[in-house]
């Protein structure tokens, strides 16, 4: 499971997918690479889904439960449907954006 849909998240999704790993992208928004051109985003979505990457839009991370065997249950909530779900995974990668905390520097 990869949380996020920016270029770092998508790079790792494609790398892991090429290594025959089942990949699910969880993203709270409605399109990949939200600051990029809509055509690029739509084409990329089509291509990665054709390769078997699952993409869950409008989905928020609610929690991560580490299991005894080292795997995780990723608890998510879909904002559009109101449904809660759990995705079982070996690992989770958080690749969400950050804002620098620079207000009091210099």
């Amino acid at each position: 499971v990869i949380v996020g849909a920016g270029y770092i998240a998508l790079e790792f999704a494609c790398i892991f997918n090429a290594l025959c790993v089942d990949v699910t992208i969880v993203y709270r928004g409605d399109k990949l690479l939200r600051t990029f051109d809509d055509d690029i985003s739509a084409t990329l979505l089509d291509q990665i889904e054709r390769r078997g990457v699952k993409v869950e839009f409008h989905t928020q991370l609610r929690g991560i439960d580490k299991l005894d065997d080292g795997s995780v249950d990723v608890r998510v909530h879909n904002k559009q449907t109101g449904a809660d779900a759990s995705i079982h995974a070996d690992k989770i990668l958080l690749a969400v954006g950050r804002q620098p905390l620079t207000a009091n520097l210099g």
Side-chain angles (χ1 to χ4, degrees), residues 52-74:
V53 174
K54 298 176 203 84
V55 182
E56 300 288 337
F57 290 109
H58 307 286
T59 303
Q60 293 178 313
L61 177 66
R62 291 293 174 127
I64 304 165
D65 300 315
K66 187 171 182 180
L67 305 178
D68 291 338
D69 65 357
S71 64
V72 293
D73 279 334
V74 181

Side-chain angles (χ1 to χ4, degrees), residues 7-65:
Y7 56 88
I8 300 296
L10 296 177
E11 282 181 293
F12 276 101
C14 291
I15 291 167
F16 293 142
N17 178 257
L19 294 170
C20 299
V21 174
D22 290 331
V23 177
T24 300
I25 295 173
V26 173
Y27 182 55
R28 63 188 168 104
D30 60 355
K31 74 173 208 170
L32 303 176
L33 300 172
R34 67 181 169 90
T35 61
F36 285 61
D37 179 79
D38 288 344
D39 290 336
I40 292 172
S41 178
T43 300
L44 181 61
L45 174 62
D46 179 59
Q47 292 299 311
I48 65 172
E49 285 183 331
R50 284 182 191 214
R51 289 179 170 88
V53 174
K54 298 176 203 84
V55 182
E56 300 288 337
F57 290 109
H58 307 286
T59 303
Q60 293 178 313
L61 177 66
R62 291 293 174 127
I64 304 165
D65 300 315

Side-chain angles (χ1 to χ4, degrees), residues 78-94:
N78 186 294
K79 296 182 292 183
Q80 277 193 326
T81 65
D84 291 319
S86 180
I87 304 169
H88 184 77
D90 291 329
K91 301 292 178 195
I92 183 169
L93 171 66
L94 298 178

